[in-house]
Amino acid sequence: MNAVDSNAQRLLIAWYAAQDGKLHVPPHMAEHLEELRAAELTASGLVNEGSLSETTRLLALSAGGAMILGNQQRREAEDAARGGQISIPEVQAQLFAHFAALFEALTGTQVQAVRDEDEIRARMLRRAQQDYDALMRTANSAIDAIVNFYNNYATLMFGYAKSLGGMRLVLGGQRQFGPSALGGVRLSALYADTQLIPDPIYPFFSGDLRLSALHLQLAISLYHLLQIRPLIDARLPVAPVFVFPSFEQELSERDAHTAQGQADLALRLLAPICDGSIASLEELFDYAQRQEDAFGLALMRSGLFVPPGGDPAEKILPNEAAARYLGELRGRREAAMIERMEQLPLGVLLLQGTLERITPYYHLLDNAGELGAQPLLTQAVHWHYFEKISEANAKVLRARSVISDRAAQTLRSIQDTSLTWLTEIPVSTLVSLIADDQHRWLRHELDGFTARLATLDSSNASEMVKEINFGLSSLVQRQQKLMRDIEKKYAPQRATLLLKGAAGAGLAATAAFLPSLSPFLGLAVPASAAAGAVGGIMLGYGQAKLGAAVEKRQAARSILGVLAAVRPK
């Protein structure tokens, strides 16, 4: 952080302390405290230094610096004390135990007993109608417990996430952990060593999300996140997933470096589509209002505004895009907030929606840089924005020491809609495959299939998807051949034993039913002995059959067998 950023952060910390009543000054400096409290924030979320006298500015800088240093020393001491008391895998297990307890407090049942989001809505509505006070008591108790847990371990978990090695991915591009994010994590578990997941539950308690039906949306997020709990409870030596608080809400609201970074990213993307020079967010908002029609059309042509649930390739007019945007937010955002948004000029509304789209990518890239991880995106629209931002930044947005170009393209291809059948692999099966290191074997195999496509750009990425599909089909074909080979391996042995068994059985029957023929056969075998010989032959047959069954079962449990089982016929 440079000196300008450092000063901006000190001013912002002091400003919030003044607003919260946590900044105390001697009586003779009270007027400067009031001046600081009355200062306005810029569109970027920074304190407007131009509105402060030099004395007030210096007071705020001094107070903010002292607060930053004190908070840092306190956190380091607390984390050091807690770090020696509990292992990180145990912290993750406890975190998911809190998730499960909170879900049960909200819905009245365990997550395994719930089929889908509609059932969550029905259960919570029924509980609220029957005894709302009891629902809130149990929910608040579980919330208090998880908030206390976050207070104790949040920074410790983030610090540990930075220490992980191997091929690690960090999820991002969306604000919620829903079906697409869950599917993406399940797909990437077949390829990566560790997936770092920004905790989607933490923001519910770290800031005001301005959500409608907040408890319902919390329960839905918990439902999807808890599907990966078996990967946590397995406590594998290399964590296949690691959930960490990324502090996005607090950073967006109270961190000057983040506020300036988000503003810079927005300007790099949006300033080029405006006529004239745009140097700040204030100027950008002013342009969106004054040049509403021109800005709206330029925004849609550039592909920088895609309404929630929309397709980046779809061409729609600004009015329709705004209507879809508001329609998607109704029922999810506070009604008062929707009413205010409906009153905004069209250009400003579209600009606000675009900024909401862009912000998660700033945090994704920030997390990727901090954690040394490859960004992981799970939807076509997320990749669309990622490419736009990559072009605007004019630099590689990937840590080359973590993942190769080809691996990055392979990883993206795995997320293609043609491969969603891979999400049918149960999470419990993923645990077994990862425990046996079979995901690393699959990664090696897929990289082999795509080796001839070593350098691809986004325009021909479809070729990579074709190679991945071909590779998976080849692996399934290999599994089918393996099963046939097992059958062939044991078939001669079983046939010989069956032939001997049939002859022995015939002999035993002849000796038993036609004893007069025994002398002619040169046999003087008691019937019991003959039966024992047949039993031995049939035991050998049973053992051969069992051996084939065991090998087939082992093959079916391998990564090849799992792929063959879930792949559409």
Side-chain angles (χ1 to χ4, degrees):
M1 185 180 293
N2 57 39
V4 174
D5 288 334
S6 176
N7 286 342
Q9 180 63 17
R10 292 179 183 184
L11 288 174
L12 193 60
I13 290 291
W15 185 87
Y16 272 108
Q19 303 302 316
D20 298 339
K22 296 179 180 179
L23 179 58
H24 305 286
V25 299
H28 69 278
M29 303 193 73
E31 63 180 286
H32 297 292
L33 177 59
E34 289 303 318
E35 183 184 347
L36 176 61
R37 187 179 287 125
E40 295 182 350
L41 300 183
T42 66
S44 303
L46 303 177
V47 177
N48 184 0
E49 293 189 48
S51 65
L52 299 177
S53 66
E54 185 62 15
T55 301
T56 300
R57 178 178 173 276
L58 293 175
L59 169 66
L61 287 173
S62 177
M67 290 178 181
I68 291 173
L69 180 61
N71 289 336
Q72 180 180 347
Q73 292 175 339
R74 176 181 53 79
R75 283 196 301 268
E76 289 175 353
E78 291 175 349
D79 288 346
R82 295 187 184 104
Q85 297 172 0
I86 186 171
S87 68
I88 287 298
E90 182 60 28
V91 170
Q92 285 280 285
Q94 287 189 19
L95 175 62
F96 271 75
H98 280 293
F99 290 158
L102 180 53
F103 181 84
E104 188 169 351
L106 291 168
T107 64
T109 190
Q110 296 181 346
V111 70
Q112 299 91 330
V114 175
R115 294 186 304 274
D116 51 33
E117 293 183 12
D118 288 339
E119 184 175 344
I120 293 174
R121 292 187 181 91
R123 284 179 173 274
M124 292 188 67
L125 179 60
R126 185 165 57 251
R127 295 193 73 211
Q129 291 173 340
Q130 292 173 350
D131 194 342
Y132 179 79
D133 291 339
L135 167 62
M136 296 312 299
R137 278 197 305 273
T138 56
N140 288 337
S141 177
I143 288 172
D144 289 343
I146 197 171
V147 167
N148 184 61
F149 180 86
Y150 281 134
N151 289 337
N152 288 332
Y153 296 107
T155 56
L156 187 69
M157 285 190 287
F158 186 83
Y160 183 78
K162 296 170 67 173
S163 71
L164 295 171
M167 179 179 279
R168 52 207 181 276
L169 314 175
V170 58
L171 184 66
Q174 67 269 306
R175 295 177 179 272
Q176 297 177 321
F177 190 92
S180 66
L182 173 60
V185 169
R186 294 174 68 168
L187 285 168
S188 299
L190 294 167
Y191 192 83
D193 292 323
T194 300
Q195 296 182 76
L196 301 162
I197 303 174
D199 188 341
I201 307 305
Y202 181 78
F204 281 89
F205 311 117
S206 61
D208 183 6
L209 299 182
R210 299 177 181 177
L211 298 177
S212 174
L214 185 142
H215 289 88
L216 173 60
Q217 295 195 49
L218 173 58
I220 290 174
S221 294
L222 286 165
Y223 170 74
H224 293 295
L225 186 61
L226 281 167
Q227 304 306 313
I228 65 171
R229 187 178 183 183
L231 292 168
I232 298 293
D233 289 344
R235 290 179 170 84
L236 298 175
V238 176
V241 294
F242 188 86
V243 177
F244 69 99
S246 64
F247 311 112
E248 294 180 8
Q249 194 71 18
E250 300 103 308
L251 291 174
S252 291
E253 294 177 354
R254 301 197 175 202
D255 182 72
H257 178 71
T258 298
Q260 190 61 57
Q262 290 174 346
D264 290 343
L265 177 58
L267 290 173
R268 282 196 294 272
L269 279 170
L270 295 168
I273 71 171
C274 302
D275 294 329
S277 176
I278 302 294
S280 68
L281 280 186
E282 285 84 359
E283 292 180 6
L284 186 58
F285 273 100
D286 180 63
Y287 180 86
Q289 183 169 0
R290 287 187 298 100
Q291 303 291 334
E292 183 175 276
D293 293 338
F295 178 75
L297 289 172
L299 197 59
M300 303 313 297
R301 282 197 299 266
S302 68
L304 288 173
F305 183 87
V306 181
D311 183 348
E314 185 181 13
K315 303 301 181 183
I316 56 177
L317 294 174
N319 284 330
E320 183 182 352
R324 289 193 194 179
Y325 173 47
L326 290 173
E328 287 290 329
L329 295 184
R330 289 190 181 93
R332 294 172 49 200
R333 299 275 181 89
E334 292 177 346
M337 183 179 184
I338 297 296
E339 290 178 6
R340 290 194 297 271
M341 294 174 69
E342 290 174 335
Q343 303 304 314
L344 293 174
L346 178 62
V348 174
L349 177 63
L350 292 175
L351 173 56
Q352 181 173 313
T354 305
L355 294 177
E356 288 185 1
R357 279 289 201 184
I358 294 171
T359 299
Y361 295 91
Y362 175 84
H363 294 296
L364 171 61
L365 297 175
D366 192 44
N367 284 333
E370 280 280 315
L371 304 174
Q374 161 70 20
L376 170 63
L377 301 129
T378 62
Q379 294 184 36
V381 67
H382 299 158
W383 284 108
H384 168 78
Y385 275 102
F386 187 80
E387 288 167 354
K388 293 287 186 183
I389 290 169
S390 179
E391 293 170 4
N393 283 353
K395 66 178 183 179
V396 177
L397 298 174
R398 184 170 32 77
R400 292 187 179 275
S401 61
V402 176
I403 186 170
S404 68
D405 289 333
R406 191 172 73 250
Q409 288 287 356
T410 302
L411 176 65
R412 175 174 179 176
S413 300
I414 290 174
Q415 302 291 336
D416 188 75
T417 54
S418 64
L419 295 173
T420 52
W421 55 272
L422 289 171
T423 62
E424 298 299 317
I425 299 175
V427 176
S428 57
T429 301
L430 284 176
V431 172
S432 299
L433 295 176
I434 293 169
D436 292 338
D437 274 347
Q438 295 197 49
H439 62 299
R440 294 191 180 95
W441 177 87
L442 179 63
R443 181 167 73 215
H444 174 76
E445 291 293 310
L446 292 180
D447 286 347
F449 283 112
T450 59
R452 71 180 185 84
L453 304 175
T455 56
L456 287 175
D457 57 38
S458 59
S459 63
N460 58 11
S462 60
E463 292 299 317
M464 182 68 82
V465 175
K466 292 178 183 178
E467 291 299 316
I468 294 296
N469 271 296
F470 168 77
L472 290 172
S473 297
S474 298
L475 293 177
V476 170
Q477 185 174 333
R478 191 186 306 179
Q479 165 69 7
Q480 293 168 344
K481 181 179 183 299
L482 175 62
M483 300 299 271
R484 290 194 299 269
D485 289 345
I486 293 173
E487 192 66 33
K488 290 178 182 178
K489 172 183 174 182
Y490 285 93
Q493 183 179 354
R494 292 205 301 261
T496 300
L497 289 169
L498 278 173
L499 183 60
K500 290 181 178 179
L507 171 62
T510 301
F513 293 106
L514 300 172
S516 58
L517 294 178
S518 294
F520 296 96
L521 295 173
L523 296 173
V525 182
S528 60
V534 174
I537 292 171
M538 298 311 291
L539 177 61
Y541 172 80
Q543 290 173 336
K545 187 174 182 180
L546 179 62
V550 168
E551 285 199 33
K552 282 187 175 182
R553 185 162 57 249
Q554 290 174 340
R557 291 175 177 173
S558 69
I559 186 68
L560 292 179
V562 171
L563 292 176
V566 300
R567 184 174 181 268
K569 300 298 186 288

